[in-house]
Amino acid sequence: MGAALARPDLEFVLLEGDGDLVMNLGSLLAIADAAPANLRVVVFNNGRYETGGGQPLASAGRTSRDRRRQTPGAT
């Protein structure tokens, strides 16, 4: 996010796993507060927390990967 705020002339994409996002939910608050228009966040739903050794998430297998929420401007 810091790079996106420092360089508003460039587009940035954050690639995030669902497990890492669950372990760092506060990052969503920071992104929402700063609201950089040049930052896109992509979350991969693989049901695991890979950074900590690949442990499965409690919700693993309980969510549908076929359903996607479309937001304005999403492609």
Side-chain angles (χ1 to χ4, degrees):
M1 182 178 70
L5 293 171
R7 293 294 308 266
D9 56 314
L10 298 176
E11 295 291 322
F12 291 87
V13 177
L14 170 63
L15 304 175
E16 186 79 89
D18 55 348
D20 190 50
L21 187 61
V22 166
M23 297 301 290
N24 298 290
L25 287 174
S27 63
L28 291 179
L29 296 174
I31 292 170
D33 185 50
N38 60 334
L39 176 64
R40 302 290 178 260
V41 179
V42 176
V43 179
F44 293 96
N45 180 9
N46 67 353
R48 303 181 70 77
Y49 180 56
E50 296 295 340
T51 304
Q55 296 92 344
L57 297 179
S59 63
R62 297 183 188 175
T63 59
S64 171
R65 293 183 180 150
D66 295 329
R67 295 184 338 200
R68 293 180 218 141
R69 179 179 171 192
Q70 292 294 323
T71 57
T75 58

